Amino acid sequence: MGVARREERRAPAAAFLYAVVVLGALAGGAGVHAFEDGTAVYIVTMKQAPVFHRRLTLEKLGSSTTANTVGGGGGGGAGDTPATSVLRTPRHGSTKPMNYGSFIVRLQNSLLKRTLRGEHYIKLYSYRYLINGFAVVITPLQAEKLSMRKEVANVMLDYSVRTATTHTPEFLGLPQGAWVQEGGPQFAGQGVVVGLIDTGIDPTHPSFADDLSTDSYPVPAHYSGICEVTNDFPSGSCNRKLVGARHFAASAITRGVFNASQDLASPSDSDGHGTHTASIAAGNHGIPVVVAGHQFGNASGMAPRAHIAVYKALYKSFGGFAADVVAAIDQAAEDNVDIISLSITPNRRPPGLATFFNPIDMALLSAAKAGIFVVQAAGNTGPSPKSMSSYSPWIFTVGASAHDRVYSNCIVLGNNLTIQGVGLASGTDGDGMYTLVAAPHALKNNTASPTELSLGECQDSSRLDADLIRGKILVCSYSIRFVLGLSSVKQALDTAENVSAAGVIFYLDPFVLGFQLNPTPMRIPGLIIPSADDSKVFLSYYNDSLVRDETSGQVVSFGGVAKILGGLNPNYGNSAPKVMFYSARGPDPEDNSLLNADILKPNLVAPGSSIWGAWSSLGLDSAEFAGESFAMLSGTSMAAPHVAGLAALIKQKFPSFSPAAIASALSTTTTLSDRQGKPIMAQRTYSNPDSTQSPATAFDMGNGFVNATAALDPGLIFDCSYDDFFSFLCGINGSGPVVMNYTGSNCGASTMMGSDLNLPSITIAVLNQTRTITRTVTNVAADESYKVSYSAPYGTAVSVVPTQFFIRSGQKQPVTFIVNAAMNSSTASFGNVGFYGDKGHQAIIPFSVISKAVYSS
């Protein structure tokens, strides 16, 4: 039986030739020379409204010509491909241009020609859907010329960005909860398109196949994206599951950092990160996870029936750049994705008046205005306070937590001491003990210990005495070189097999601190000792057991013995979830002076530690999983797509929900305790993180740990609109010109603070004497009576009106909080507010106050 597939098309010949010319110029000497001459990539925004804003204006006016003016999901334009790169193929199905989109692109081109007449420049992108602007390679003097034009709103230097499962569906309760409500995994998320801005995708992976069932599974009619076709991303790569794929690399190419053979100018994933995150969000259900020949269960995405659209803007060699990411966001929005997931964060805190005013966040503000729910990783810069890398209230920020599945194996030494390790490997045969031999003590011809680190790391079997090691456990050093990719576990395993070792043990070099070791697949018995202290104990036992020649000091016999107990079967604990040490923390920094914003970040935490996900056949990001079809990774990058997938389930059930409503449903239904009913803990240090953990606060975990099933029946929601966010930005002192530059709209008189936004949290950075806060809840369930209870943050006195209310379905109810400082303190304190309904619904929001002053300064 035939199946419907998303039509793909190659670029017309003329467009293709133009792309080749530009690529050649940018990748060659001219491009590099230009940068040596002081040119750089700048992002220029114009005052004229972009396509989406224009469309909304016409709809408000009731214009019957809206479709003809801005297109009803139509295609590209002439000249530069609107809202896309001149380096990429035109939009599918573009029989005629979007009139208004083409018009603003022509205005951009005219501006450049008139302002920089006769001068050299290279235009990389035209942004036209969410923002009206372009990316261009120019000199600082040319940038100044452009900034002086009345048509130009803002000129900003481009900047760099970086990248920040089998069991987590069960841990989140999906099979018995949320999936059941959607009709089972075979329907969970269907009709919803998740757009991922990442390192691309491996389209051949079974997690993204569309032929695993015979059910009707059409491409959503509202999605209008295309699938690029290149030599390494051939026709047929997309299907009803993977409905769109594009790549964006113009800024990277101009800088001379793009390695075409490694980074791939296509949607194909040569890193692995993008394939992994896509499968977490919406990978197919029931895909067998086989790694290093071992079976680790079956994998599923959070919304296994949702559709995936990939917008590649990150690359293995260098990360990415804002100009490319903004182009990806703009295109995803024009393609009508429902959700955007970004497992990326900026390399530095945005400069300027406030962290919110940067091209990526402001493009995402327009995405939220377009009804797109935006998820972003919090960043892996924890555990310090104010380490947050995702700032804006219209972005849903996700931190990383552990879940209850742990893979651990151990070694039992000859002195009966047991040391824990990590390694996805079997144990040594039988119950017997095996002699331990360290690589430096097993060199051929009994030569002296090597000075080359690689030999101690077991990277070269040709230098080792196979007869001495055969049938014994080879001991190797795990140094910083493994972290840097200069040495690999795979190469050490090859060495162990070449010398017929019975197993391999890696001890941790003391200089490897603050680096989390994920369980590593090993095809022979083995493990890594992840603790420097445990490694010292192991080495002490090994060295004390050696017998040396009294004269030469050479090792003459090995007395240390051990056996390896396997780590293929997971253990399930009750202490999860807990916030991982690397997960970035609040409070949310408002600007580079580290003033705190009245915004809670992160919004919540989700599983991000030791997560199984699909892996690209070309993936180079983790050498230990090279050539495998699945990989286990950790980071907030893994947490964000969990929430993107869960948001797809909410979008499926409540298609009319705004992005803020989806955020509220996720936030107010979180879990605040672990499996034992105790408070969720947060790790506080890089080294020995479990020994320094303490109860998590709202600045560690936001509203709490995501609860997928409860989020599908939130009862009450806290909604928030684009106009609210606009007023909030206007309320920042001195922000009027910046807001005008980014949005094209003038600020009226606004005194709105972050705490005034109708968010599912209350955060007050500075409480001078008193503050009045109002939250308005909307009932999305049946009629219900609610009681309001609260726990005031320490050092404050709080009153609430009303303390109980009856609310009909669809109605709104304002609730007012008067907060008074009861002491002078600069230490953050925390409480919460609970809305408890008589039909079982409850909505709990955190209440945080940082600085408190009884008398106004």
Side-chain angles (χ1 to χ4, degrees), residues 526-774:
L527 57 71
I528 305 171
I529 302 173
S531 161
D533 290 339
D534 287 346
S535 294
K536 290 178 183 177
V537 172
F538 170 77
L539 287 176
S540 176
Y541 167 76
Y542 173 81
N543 287 322
D544 290 347
S545 302
L546 293 174
V547 178
R548 296 179 179 271
D549 182 272
E550 293 183 0
T551 303
S552 65
Q554 294 286 340
V555 176
V556 294
S557 67
F558 302 89
V561 295
K563 61 181 177 181
I564 300 173
L565 302 184
L568 297 177
N569 297 317
N571 299 312
Y572 297 94
N574 292 320
S575 61
K578 61 184 171 186
V579 182
M580 300 305 295
F581 68 89
Y582 52 78
S583 187
R585 311 297 168 93
D588 187 17
E590 182 169 303
D591 54 34
N592 269 319
S593 67
L594 294 182
L595 289 175
N596 299 312
D598 289 342
I599 306 294
L600 179 64
K601 293 291 178 178
N603 293 94
L604 51 67
V605 293
S609 178
S610 299
I611 304 299
W612 281 119
W615 195 244
S616 173
S617 57
L618 304 174
L620 299 173
D621 186 49
S622 178
E624 318 313 343
F625 291 96
E628 303 288 357
S629 59
F630 281 86
M632 179 181 285
L633 302 181
S634 295
T636 57
S637 284
M638 285 64 252
H642 275 89
V643 173
L646 298 178
L649 302 182
I650 299 174
K651 184 72 174 178
Q652 181 184 19
K653 183 175 180 180
F654 300 101
S656 64
F657 264 21
S658 69
I662 295 174
S664 175
L666 288 163
S667 299
T668 62
T669 56
T670 55
T671 299
L672 299 176
S673 56
D674 64 18
R675 288 296 181 87
Q676 297 175 326
K678 298 178 180 179
I680 292 175
M681 304 296 280
Q683 297 177 335
R684 301 294 178 192
T685 58
Y686 284 96
S687 58
N688 298 318
D690 280 341
S691 66
T692 59
Q693 62 188 16
S694 62
T697 72
F699 293 157
D700 301 315
M701 65 175 180
N703 281 62
F705 180 76
V706 66
N707 184 331
T709 302
L712 290 175
D713 186 20
L716 301 176
I717 60 166
F718 298 72
D719 210 354
C720 205
S721 69
Y722 171 86
D723 290 341
D724 296 325
F725 294 130
F726 179 82
S727 295
F728 156 68
L729 293 175
C730 290
I732 297 173
N733 189 32
S735 66
V738 185
V739 174
M740 176 65 188
N741 288 347
Y742 274 113
T743 67
S745 299
N746 285 308
C747 284
S750 175
T751 58
M752 178 178 279
M753 307 174 74
S755 58
D756 297 323
L757 286 168
N758 197 44
L759 301 175
S761 61
I762 297 174
T763 305
I764 302 175
V766 178
L767 177 60
N768 278 327
Q769 293 184 296
T770 187
R771 181 90 65 92
T772 299
I773 305 290
T774 299

Side-chain angles (χ1 to χ4, degrees), residues 49-172:
V51 169
F52 178 72
H53 290 219
R54 171 80 168 183
R55 176 182 297 170
L56 286 184
T57 300
L58 291 172
E59 288 175 353
K60 288 179 180 178
L61 294 173
S63 172
S64 61
T65 60
T66 299
N68 291 330
T69 305
V70 296
D80 293 334
T81 305
T84 63
S85 170
V86 295
L87 310 179
R88 295 183 293 107
T89 57
R91 216 174 133 67
H92 164 60
S94 302
T95 55
K96 67 177 184 177
M98 294 176 71
N99 296 337
Y100 182 67
S102 298
F103 170 69
I104 61 175
V105 171
R106 287 196 298 272
L107 284 184
Q108 296 169 7
N109 294 339
S110 175
L111 171 71
L112 282 167
K113 290 176 182 177
R114 286 184 284 112
T115 307
L116 307 178
R117 188 182 304 275
E119 299 180 27
H120 178 71
Y121 61 87
I122 302 174
K123 185 182 180 188
L124 305 179
Y125 293 109
S126 284
Y127 311 128
R128 57 92 181 266
Y129 191 73
L130 294 178
I131 61 173
N132 175 4
F134 51 89
V136 61
V137 181
I138 50 177
T139 66
L141 181 60
Q142 290 173 316
E144 185 177 355
K145 287 182 180 179
L146 284 171
S147 69
M148 297 175 67
R149 297 289 304 203
K150 64 180 181 180
E151 306 97 316
V152 172
N154 195 42
V155 178
M156 184 174 184
L157 195 64
D158 192 16
Y159 57 91
S160 59
V161 298
R162 60 188 172 195
T163 56
T165 81
T166 59
H167 175 65
T168 47
E170 284 76 13
F171 183 58
L172 293 170

Side-chain angles (χ1 to χ4, degrees), residues 374-378 388 390-392 395-399 601-604:
V374 178
V375 187
Q376 185 178 25
M388 185 56 53
S390 175
Y391 313 105
S392 298
I395 298 171
F396 198 78
T397 304
V398 185
K601 293 291 178 178
N603 293 94
L604 51 67

Side-chain angles (χ1 to χ4, degrees), residues 163-508:
T163 56
T165 81
T166 59
H167 175 65
T168 47
E170 284 76 13
F171 183 58
L172 293 170
L174 295 176
Q176 294 78 37
W179 286 351
V180 173
Q181 295 188 37
E182 305 289 6
Q186 67 271 31
F187 298 107
Q190 185 165 325
V192 180
V193 180
V194 180
L196 294 110
I197 298 173
D198 215 296
T199 65
I201 197 167
D202 180 353
T204 67
H205 199 283
S207 290
F208 314 119
D210 70 347
D211 56 359
L212 301 184
S213 71
T214 58
D215 298 332
S216 175
Y217 187 38
V219 174
H222 68 273
Y223 181 72
S224 57
I226 68 163
C227 193
E228 280 186 22
V229 175
T230 68
N231 289 335
D232 50 45
F233 205 84
S235 178
S237 293
C238 288
N239 53 35
R240 296 172 301 172
K241 178 70 173 179
L242 176 58
V243 295
R246 294 172 177 257
H247 87 285
F248 304 81
S251 181
I253 291 170
T254 65
R255 298 166 184 271
V257 299
F258 190 89
N259 182 334
S261 63
Q262 178 174 307
D263 296 314
L264 304 181
S266 79
S268 188
D269 183 10
S270 62
D271 180 281
H273 189 272
T275 299
H276 198 272
T277 57
S279 71
I280 294 170
N284 285 325
H285 176 69
I287 306 301
V289 178
V290 180
V291 176
H294 305 302
Q295 170 73 43
F296 293 99
N298 294 321
S300 175
M302 300 300 102
R305 196 68 165 176
H307 307 267
I308 294 170
V310 168
Y311 300 86
K312 178 179 175 181
L314 295 172
Y315 298 84
K316 168 63 179 173
S317 299
F318 52 86
F321 297 96
D324 297 326
V325 172
V326 171
I329 294 169
D330 198 63
Q331 189 61 59
E334 185 174 355
D335 291 346
N336 290 320
V337 302
D338 298 294
I339 294 162
I340 289 177
S341 180
L342 301 104
S343 287
I344 61 174
T345 56
N347 278 326
R348 58 183 174 86
R349 189 170 288 116
L353 186 64
T355 53
F356 321 117
F357 294 120
N358 67 81
I360 291 178
D361 283 34
M362 296 309 292
L364 293 173
L365 174 60
S366 287
K369 184 177 184 179
I372 299 170
F373 181 70
V374 178
V375 187
Q376 185 178 25
N380 298 334
T381 48
S384 299
K386 302 185 186 182
S387 52
M388 185 56 53
S389 298
S390 175
Y391 313 105
S392 298
W394 51 87
I395 298 171
F396 198 78
T397 304
V398 185
S401 72
H403 55 95
D404 63 344
R405 183 195 61 209
V406 178
Y407 290 96
S408 62
N409 47 6
C410 63
I411 52 175
V412 180
L413 302 177
N415 60 3
N416 290 322
L417 186 66
T418 299
I419 296 178
Q420 296 296 317
V422 293
L424 299 172
S426 59
T428 45
D429 290 340
D431 196 43
M433 305 294 276
Y434 293 77
T435 301
L436 299 169
V437 179
H441 300 148
L443 300 179
K444 287 181 177 178
N445 303 319
N446 201 28
T447 56
S449 294
T451 56
E452 300 101 316
L453 288 173
S454 62
L455 293 179
E457 297 164 353
C458 305
Q459 300 295 294
D460 185 2
S461 61
S462 67
R463 301 281 295 276
L464 299 180
D465 186 340
D467 292 333
L468 179 60
I469 300 172
R470 185 175 291 110
K472 302 178 179 65
I473 293 177
L474 181 63
V475 177
C476 311
S477 167
Y478 191 100
S479 76
I480 192 67
R481 290 164 51 87
F482 285 80
V483 179
L484 299 175
L486 302 175
S487 297
S488 74
V489 171
K490 271 189 175 291
Q491 184 58 48
L493 294 176
D494 287 342
T495 296
E497 287 187 313
N498 290 339
V499 297
S500 302
V504 61
I505 293 173
F506 297 87
Y507 64 88
L508 195 66

